[in-house]
């Protein structure tokens, strides 16, 4: 059974940092783009970042470029999101997701294209 399990969410002050983890089981992360979406109350789910581990290519939403860094550890089958310089507007439930790498190359990082989802972890940034 494929599972994506997020951890690392919590409460942090504006300007602070958190590191999210997504532990994947039942799939080889080299066969997928793996990354993150987020959804704030009353807002649409939006792509945050993803990585294709096989070639090391990464993508970031404009709103997080320069502040967030995504990475992967194939030995641990885990993808990380280092979140620095956090802002109140980063407050959201963050979801890990995985997409077949071939479809990712063609379609891009959109929520409707995902093959698997985690249950989410809440990040709250206080101002």
């Amino acid at each position: 059974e494929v599972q994506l399990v997020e951890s690392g969410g919590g409460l942090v002050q504006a300007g602070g940092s958190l590191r999210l983890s997504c532990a994947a089981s039942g799939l080889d992360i080299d066969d997928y783009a793996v990354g993150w979406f987020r959804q704030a109350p009353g807002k649409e789910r939006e792509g945050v970042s993803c990585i294709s581990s096989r070639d090391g290519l990464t993508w970031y939403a404009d709103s997080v470029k320069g502040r967030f860094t995504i990475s992967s550890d194939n030995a641990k089958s885990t993808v990380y999101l280092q979140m620095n310089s956090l802002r109140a507007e980063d407050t959201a439930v963050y979801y890990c997701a995985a997409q077949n790498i071939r479809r990712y190359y063609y379609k891009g990082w959109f929520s409707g294209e995902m093959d698997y989802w985690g249950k989410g972890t809440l990040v709250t940034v206080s101002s």
Side-chain angles (χ1 to χ4, degrees):
E1 181 184 9
V2 172
Q3 288 192 98
L4 303 174
V5 180
E6 304 99 330
S7 61
L11 175 64
V12 65
Q13 289 185 313
S17 298
L18 286 173
R19 188 180 73 160
L20 305 184
S21 298
C22 174
S25 60
L27 80 166
D28 185 345
I29 63 173
D30 275 346
D31 295 330
Y32 294 84
V34 182
W36 302 88
F37 290 82
R38 67 186 182 186
Q39 189 164 25
K43 295 190 176 182
E44 295 181 2
R45 189 169 297 190
E46 63 173 343
V48 178
S49 183
C50 66
I51 184 167
S52 51
S53 296
R54 176 155 284 171
D55 54 23
L57 295 177
T58 59
W59 173 86
Y60 299 92
D62 288 344
S63 59
V64 307
K65 280 184 178 178
R67 300 189 298 122
F68 293 8
T69 303
I70 194 166
S71 61
S72 60
D73 185 336
N74 283 21
K76 296 181 178 180
S77 193
T78 299
V79 172
Y80 304 95
L81 186 68
Q82 180 66 46
M83 309 165 68
N84 298 327
S85 301
L86 284 162
R87 304 165 180 168
E89 51 264 45
D90 295 317
T91 295
V93 176
Y94 284 70
Y95 298 92
C96 184
Q99 180 185 6
N100 175 277
I101 192 65
R102 292 180 179 86
R103 189 164 72 254
Y104 170 69
Y105 288 151
Y106 184 70
K107 296 282 191 179
W109 194 246
F110 298 96
S111 62
E113 304 295 335
M114 300 298 108
D115 295 301
Y116 304 104
W117 289 93
K119 294 180 179 179
T121 185
L122 177 63
V123 171
T124 303
V125 183
S126 63
S127 59

